[in-house]
Amino acid sequence: MLRNIRAGFSSTDITPPVGVELCGFGWHINRKSTAVLEPLYAHAFAWQTEDVKGVIISCDLLGISKEITEQVRSLIQAECQIPFDHILVSATHSHSGPTTVDLIGWGEKDSDYLAGMPERIAQAAVAALAGMVDVTFEYGETHVEGIAYNRVSHSKESPGGLSDHTLKLLKVVHEGKMIGFLSHYSVHPVVMCADTSFICGDFIGIAINKLSSQYGVTGMFLQGSLGDQNSIYNFENQEQSVKNVYELSARFAGFVEEAISSALPLEIDAIVMKRVSISLPLNVLERSMILRNLEMVEHLYEDFDELPAKTQRRIRFERDVCKAVWDKYDEPEPAVLKTELQALKLGNILLIAHPTELFYAYHVEIERELAPYKTFIVGQANDSIGYIPTPDQYEVSQGAYSYPAWFTSFMYGQLPFVRNIGEVITKQMIELGQSLVKS
């Protein structure tokens, strides 16, 4: 059993100025923020043993780009001498914050805000490292109902389907008192959505802020496999959404409290962290079809000024997508998308981080393959590359056109993934977890 483990927590405010464009719901709406309902934070958890240290960061943002991740890692490495492989930067995936990743038609990025973001995020990690104390760990979990449903197989009018029913929690204790916690669950935080203009971390961010204040600690949320998981409240008008977001945040906070209360001591035999580069296969579509679509859109531009604003936004979106995807064919390796996975072994807890919105069926498979370890499968980490859906979502023979399988790839300006992409990346995550167990 490891002794003399030190850890620390800290947070920095990353709330953008009012007036920035909010991320997330496409050409049909232009959302400018009008007020801050709840501030956004970057939360950092730092740990150190005799010979190794690392940092996990969670931000109340839609996603973290590869570029921001690399800047944050460089700043922390220079200030604290922590290697890149031991720095993890993730997002909660709130749709009520600024646009922070390249999503065509899904909100313009604010360059001034983004320019200062890496430094603000890194400050949380630097402060967490500076404030480390001797700690022990506890693990808790609780059964969850009434938070999420499977939005592919069910609806908010009739919620159900394969969804996350377990909230996991790592509790960090100094001299018998909790100094911070990391919670984990799978759900899209979209209570505050298309018809709202308030900045906030949605119900997750509000719940974590409340609990952090209540306990006098720094709490964190690590997003799970949310690809097909919606919050039970979503897509209402602003007045109703505000009511819903506080109701659901209180419910979610109650589950986190249950996990805190049930937490039991965790023996730590080793802390190991590892990062690997991966290449994900893409479906290289016939280039002539991209050209055909681009020419069609350019034709529509002849009468552009006479079209309704909503139609103009859609045409502009299609043009920008075709141009971005057309350029992909000229890249050295157009058939792959390069990104990374990262993992942490902390006693019998495995944290497997990836940059996607993974469908929950893969979450179940990874947990099964890595049992009896308690596995935190953390999405939206270190990069943001879109959905990893099940193979059926790629089926178009019956006229279906899947948003997660096809549409979102084009939003990122990239070619879609191959049909078995879930099998590919799931296998890589399992192998990464197993390699840590063996080490």
Side-chain angles (χ1 to χ4, degrees), residues 138 140 169 171 178 215 254-264:
E138 298 178 8
L169 183 133
K171 181 177 175 181
M178 180 174 70
Y215 286 102
F255 290 122
V256 176
E257 287 186 285
E258 288 179 11
I260 291 173
S261 299
S262 68
L264 296 174

Side-chain angles (χ1 to χ4, degrees), residues 206-250:
I206 294 172
I208 296 300
N209 290 350
K210 172 189 173 183
L211 292 170
S212 297
S213 176
Q214 176 181 319
Y215 286 102
V217 303
T218 296
M220 295 173 58
F221 177 80
L222 301 174
Q223 182 58 263
S225 304
L226 77 165
D228 50 0
Q229 306 292 299
N230 253 8
S231 53
I232 60 166
Y233 300 136
N234 55 73
F235 294 95
E236 303 288 352
N237 62 50
Q238 181 158 288
E239 181 180 1
Q240 186 61 48
S241 292
V242 171
K243 293 177 182 178
N244 289 344
V245 79
Y246 280 108
E247 177 184 333
L248 199 60
S249 70

Side-chain angles (χ1 to χ4, degrees), residues 73 84-85 87-88 273-274 341-343 351-353 382 432:
R73 283 171 167 163
F84 271 43
D85 290 355
I87 302 168
L88 188 158
M273 201 165 189
K274 185 176 182 179
L341 301 176
Q342 196 170 19
L351 188 154
I352 312 293
N382 303 318
L432 177 57

Side-chain angles (χ1 to χ4, degrees), residues 4-7 46-54 129 132 271:
N4 301 320
I5 305 173
R6 296 172 61 79
W47 51 267
Q48 180 176 5
T49 63
E50 291 182 356
D51 57 352
V52 66
K53 56 185 175 181
L129 283 155
M132 288 194 294
I271 302 180

Side-chain angles (χ1 to χ4, degrees), residues 200-439:
C200 71
D202 211 272
F203 78 95
I204 287 169
I206 294 172
I208 296 300
N209 290 350
K210 172 189 173 183
L211 292 170
S212 297
S213 176
Q214 176 181 319
Y215 286 102
V217 303
T218 296
M220 295 173 58
F221 177 80
L222 301 174
Q223 182 58 263
S225 304
L226 77 165
D228 50 0
Q229 306 292 299
N230 253 8
S231 53
I232 60 166
Y233 300 136
N234 55 73
F235 294 95
E236 303 288 352
N237 62 50
Q238 181 158 288
E239 181 180 1
Q240 186 61 48
S241 292
V242 171
K243 293 177 182 178
N244 289 344
V245 79
Y246 280 108
E247 177 184 333
L248 199 60
S249 70
R251 188 181 306 174
F252 185 73
F255 290 122
V256 176
E257 287 186 285
E258 288 179 11
I260 291 173
S261 299
S262 68
L264 296 174
L266 180 67
E267 290 193 2
I268 308 297
D269 59 343
I271 302 180
V272 185
M273 201 165 189
K274 185 176 182 179
R275 183 172 70 97
V276 296
S277 297
I278 60 172
S279 295
L280 300 176
L282 301 175
N283 184 352
V284 184
L285 306 173
E286 174 58 53
R287 197 176 191 184
S288 62
M289 294 304 297
I290 304 299
L291 180 59
R292 178 186 182 279
N293 290 343
L294 184 57
E295 289 180 344
M296 180 183 67
V297 171
E298 294 294 356
H299 175 72
L300 292 173
Y301 260 85
E302 295 177 5
D303 300 311
F304 188 77
D305 292 339
E306 301 174 13
L307 299 172
K310 181 178 178 180
T311 304
Q312 288 182 355
R313 286 194 289 271
R314 179 60 189 260
I315 292 173
R316 189 181 296 115
F317 168 79
E318 297 293 344
R319 180 196 61 181
D320 292 346
V321 162
C322 288
K323 287 183 175 180
V325 173
W326 176 265
D327 291 341
K328 295 295 182 183
Y329 292 85
D330 297 323
E331 294 183 353
E333 298 180 80
V336 298
L337 187 153
K338 295 183 178 181
T339 187
E340 68 174 71
L341 301 176
Q342 196 170 19
L344 169 72
K345 179 182 180 295
L346 184 75
N348 73 338
I349 290 178
L350 283 175
L351 188 154
I352 312 293
H354 60 92
T356 82
E357 297 179 57
L358 193 69
F359 268 39
Y360 194 71
Y362 297 119
H363 184 113
V364 174
E365 180 181 349
I366 296 167
E367 282 193 317
R368 181 178 63 248
E369 292 297 320
L370 294 177
Y373 284 84
K374 301 294 186 181
T375 306
F376 290 51
I377 304 164
V378 180
Q380 294 297 298
N382 303 318
D383 196 359
S384 183
I385 63 172
Y387 286 86
I388 301 293
T390 48
D392 61 290
Q393 294 297 299
Y394 288 89
E395 180 59 59
V396 295
S397 62
Q398 302 301 318
Y401 186 78
S402 166
Y403 173 85
W406 298 103
F407 193 83
T408 53
S409 293
F410 297 129
M411 284 164 45
Y412 281 88
Q414 69 184 34
L415 292 160
F417 291 115
V418 294
R419 183 187 180 98
N420 69 331
I421 187 64
E423 177 185 341
V424 172
I425 195 170
T426 296
K427 182 174 183 288
Q428 292 172 323
M429 284 192 274
I430 292 169
E431 289 176 348
L432 177 57
Q434 291 172 337
S435 73
L436 263 65
V437 170
K438 293 176 182 177
S439 67

Side-chain angles (χ1 to χ4, degrees), residues 13-34:
D13 193 319
I14 56 171
T15 308
V18 171
V20 302
E21 189 163 342
L22 298 179
C23 58
F25 293 93
W27 62 85
H28 62 285
I29 193 163
N30 180 24
R31 295 201 302 159
K32 296 280 188 178
S33 62
T34 59

Side-chain angles (χ1 to χ4, degrees), residues 73-273:
R73 283 171 167 163
S74 295
L75 289 167
I76 297 171
Q77 183 181 49
E79 181 78 16
C80 307
Q81 292 74 57
I82 298 179
F84 271 43
D85 290 355
H86 289 183
I87 302 168
L88 188 158
V89 189
S90 68
T92 64
H93 201 62
S94 170
H95 284 61
S96 290
T99 300
T100 52
V101 294
D102 291 322
L103 288 173
I104 297 172
W106 249 245
E108 294 297 322
K109 295 190 292 187
D110 186 288
S111 58
D112 291 337
Y113 171 71
L114 288 181
M117 178 178 288
E119 178 65 33
R120 294 163 80 180
I121 295 173
Q123 285 173 2
V126 172
L129 283 155
M132 288 194 294
V133 295
D134 293 336
V135 299
T136 57
F137 295 95
E138 298 178 8
Y139 172 78
E141 63 179 51
T142 192
H143 182 76
V144 174
E145 294 285 353
I147 297 292
Y149 69 94
N150 191 303
R151 68 184 187 185
V152 171
S153 63
H154 288 67
S155 67
K156 68 177 181 179
E157 290 77 23
S158 180
L162 182 64
S163 59
D164 199 348
H165 291 288
T166 303
L167 185 144
K168 302 184 181 79
L169 183 133
L170 180 66
K171 181 177 175 181
V172 185
V173 178
H174 170 63
E175 295 182 347
K177 182 180 179 181
M178 180 174 70
I179 62 168
F181 64 86
L182 293 82
S183 55
H184 174 262
Y185 182 71
S186 305
V187 61
H188 259 92
V190 288
V191 177
M192 303 290 288
C193 54
D195 292 330
T196 64
S197 60
F198 291 156
I199 293 170
C200 71
D202 211 272
F203 78 95
I204 287 169
I206 294 172
I208 296 300
N209 290 350
K210 172 189 173 183
L211 292 170
S212 297
S213 176
Q214 176 181 319
Y215 286 102
V217 303
T218 296
M220 295 173 58
F221 177 80
L222 301 174
Q223 182 58 263
S225 304
L226 77 165
D228 50 0
Q229 306 292 299
N230 253 8
S231 53
I232 60 166
Y233 300 136
N234 55 73
F235 294 95
E236 303 288 352
N237 62 50
Q238 181 158 288
E239 181 180 1
Q240 186 61 48
S241 292
V242 171
K243 293 177 182 178
N244 289 344
V245 79
Y246 280 108
E247 177 184 333
L248 199 60
S249 70
R251 188 181 306 174
F252 185 73
F255 290 122
V256 176
E257 287 186 285
E258 288 179 11
I260 291 173
S261 299
S262 68
L264 296 174
L266 180 67
E267 290 193 2
I268 308 297
D269 59 343
I271 302 180
V272 185
M273 201 165 189

